[in-house]
Amino acid sequence: MEENLSAWERYPGYEINLLPCDSVTRVSYKNKIVAESAASLLVKESEHDARLYLPEDDVNWENFQVSDHQSNCPFKGDASYWSLKLDDEIQENVAWTYKEPVSKVAGLKGYVSFDMEALKVELIQKWGEEGDEPITTRFPTWGDAKDLLASLDVQPIGENLFQSDPYPNPPVGTIIEELKERRKRSVVEGGHQLAQAVVAASKAVPNQRVTSASMIFSKAASFDAPSDVRVNVLRGGRSFSCLDVQTVQADSMRSAAIVLMDASDKDRLKHACEMPKVPGPYESTLRDWNVSGREIRVVDNAYTADLDHMGPPELHAWIRFRDNPEEQYQHKALMTQAITHWTIAAAMRPHPGISQALAHVSLSTGPLKADINFHDDVDVSQWMLYVNDAVYAGKGHAQGSGKIFSIKGDLLATYSIHAMIRDFPASAKGGRNAM
């Protein structure tokens, strides 16, 4: 116990938060459910991936046997283990508990956690329309849709100056410096930066709405450090305003955008292109993108790591969110964040032996420029169809055009993406995305 106390004293910024999990937690091995609970704890710990702890009463103990293995965590205490035994197969030391946890985490008593690599740990959420099937997300996740919105919804820290905090905050290695090497690749997507620019512009000129935004991504940004979003109102008018928005990290510009604002008038005339006839969301492939509270379904399983999957240079994806944000600019930000996901995958589809499996491994890929135009009000809690056409690929580049429709067929936005797809230099194979 003295060792545990000294660890907390040595690292005063260390935190372990025990939070109620708002999803059903399911633990399985080869399709055999070995634990399931609607009363799990989400344990967020500094320097660690989040973990789920299930009540002991919700574990199917007939599948487990006591192990002699023990371990000590200087922040939580001594852990006792079980091994999973199914038929003649044994998975050693895949479940553990803290029978007498340190007082700071006394709430762990009576709860069990599981090895997330040896066993499948999933979040099961039920939301949407009556009769919709549950949404399953593999754990650990990047975070929840609430975390995604919070990272997009940049906060003011000065006049026309906004900030996005690191995620997680603080990043791995901040408190225990030796753990910096455990940091994962944490590049901020281009669509994420563009969405932040939409939010910053909306807050800088609150009496107008963003009608279009065009951004160039000049250097990769990281989730490991805060980012400043700087807004310069080039012209502020009663009907239209033009803004320059820059993302700056570590005193280096990462992206630059031009944003057009408008004090909307009534419709003098109105028409829009029709939504293409494609399979609906429930006839499309569910994609687990490690964000709970967001559901993505891809038509024809077109976003895939299968090197043998071929098709036309197009990709259609359905997206919706569990929550309905208060502000229209928040809806637009969540919708915008996803636009840079698809063009590269669509450009790869017609070519044999090439797929998403090669991105950031042997191929350096990423968006260079993104443009979006907003047309109608958005409700991200309802299905949105992203229609993506890769109209050109060559010379290390790909160009895509896109449209976003509501489930009712209303045209919500149009966009274009200029991306790169090129081989890594021989010395950099397997390295990070250059953007």
Side-chain angles (χ1 to χ4, degrees), residues 27 41 43 50-56 59 61 64 76 80-82 93-98 108 110-116 119 121 139:
V27 183
L41 291 177
V43 178
R51 286 199 174 273
L52 292 164
Y53 280 72
L54 284 68
E56 291 180 352
V59 179
W61 288 112
F64 293 89
K76 296 190 288 291
S80 301
Y81 286 76
W82 292 268
N93 307 320
V94 292
W96 62 89
T97 187
Y98 295 93
L108 287 178
Y111 286 81
V112 182
S113 194
F114 297 86
D115 186 325
M116 297 182 293
L119 308 181
V121 180
F139 201 85

Side-chain angles (χ1 to χ4, degrees), residues 2-239:
E2 288 302 317
E3 181 183 357
N4 295 325
L5 290 174
S6 66
W8 284 101
E9 292 167 359
R10 252 190 346 264
Y11 302 103
Y14 204 88
E15 290 188 11
I16 301 179
N17 295 309
L18 279 54
L19 308 170
C21 179
D22 58 6
S23 305
V24 171
T25 302
R26 179 179 296 163
V27 183
S28 61
Y29 181 73
K30 294 186 176 179
N31 297 321
K32 169 75 172 179
I33 298 174
V34 297
E36 186 168 297
S37 178
S40 298
L41 291 177
L42 176 63
V43 178
K44 292 188 174 182
E45 181 175 357
S46 299
E47 313 291 11
H48 289 73
D49 289 332
R51 286 199 174 273
L52 292 164
Y53 280 72
L54 284 68
E56 291 180 352
D57 291 344
D58 291 336
V59 179
N60 298 325
W61 288 112
E62 63 270 18
N63 299 311
F64 293 89
Q65 59 186 26
V66 175
S67 168
D68 293 333
H69 182 66
Q70 290 190 330
S71 68
N72 174 268
C73 171
F75 298 98
K76 296 190 288 291
D78 296 324
S80 301
Y81 286 76
W82 292 268
S83 296
L84 176 69
K85 187 177 186 302
L86 285 178
D87 300 324
D88 294 328
E89 188 173 357
I90 296 179
Q91 292 291 316
E92 300 281 355
N93 307 320
V94 292
W96 62 89
T97 187
Y98 295 93
K99 293 180 179 179
E100 298 296 335
V102 174
S103 59
K104 284 182 176 288
V105 290
L108 287 178
K109 187 179 179 68
Y111 286 81
V112 182
S113 194
F114 297 86
D115 186 325
M116 297 182 293
E117 295 184 2
L119 308 181
K120 181 185 285 186
V121 180
E122 298 171 301
L123 298 175
I124 314 296
Q125 295 186 336
K126 186 72 167 67
W127 43 272
E129 300 295 328
E130 185 69 27
D132 284 359
E133 61 187 77
I135 298 99
T136 301
T137 308
R138 185 74 180 262
F139 201 85
T141 63
W142 176 88
D144 187 74
K146 293 178 181 177
D147 301 313
L148 179 61
L149 179 58
S151 68
L152 298 176
D153 198 1
V154 293
Q155 297 301 307
I157 57 173
E159 184 178 1
N160 290 343
L161 178 61
F162 304 83
Q163 188 174 77
S164 171
D165 289 333
Y167 186 83
N169 189 14
V172 172
T174 303
I175 299 170
I176 303 177
E177 192 169 347
E178 296 85 346
L179 297 179
K180 280 185 179 179
E181 61 187 37
R182 289 183 49 231
R183 287 185 177 178
K184 300 176 182 177
R185 182 179 182 274
S186 61
V187 175
V188 180
E189 292 179 331
H192 197 105
Q193 296 177 63
L194 182 59
Q196 290 178 329
V198 169
V199 171
S202 301
K203 292 184 177 182
V205 187
N207 59 327
Q208 296 182 358
R209 70 182 183 97
V210 175
T211 59
S212 70
S214 177
M215 178 171 273
I216 291 176
F217 310 106
S218 58
K219 185 177 181 180
S222 170
F223 278 111
D224 289 343
S227 295
D228 289 342
V229 181
R230 301 174 181 176
V231 178
N232 178 23
V233 180
L234 301 176
R235 182 187 184 279
R238 285 179 297 178
S239 297

Side-chain angles (χ1 to χ4, degrees), residues 185 304-305 307 344 348 353-366 420-435:
R185 182 179 182 274
T304 175
L307 295 175
I344 293 169
M348 291 176 170
I354 296 179
S355 81
Q356 287 296 305
L358 304 181
H360 317 309
V361 179
S362 60
L363 291 177
S364 178
T365 64
M420 70 172 181
I421 307 176
R422 57 187 65 187
D423 290 321
F424 277 115
S427 61
K429 288 289 178 72
R432 288 188 168 195
N433 183 352
M435 277 297 295

Side-chain angles (χ1 to χ4, degrees), residues 370-391:
D371 305 87
I372 187 166
N373 302 282
F374 299 102
H375 306 306
D376 217 333
D377 286 344
V378 182
D379 181 356
V380 297
S381 68
Q382 302 299 311
W383 283 112
M384 301 173 289
L385 177 65
Y386 288 63
V387 177
N388 302 271
D389 296 300
V391 297

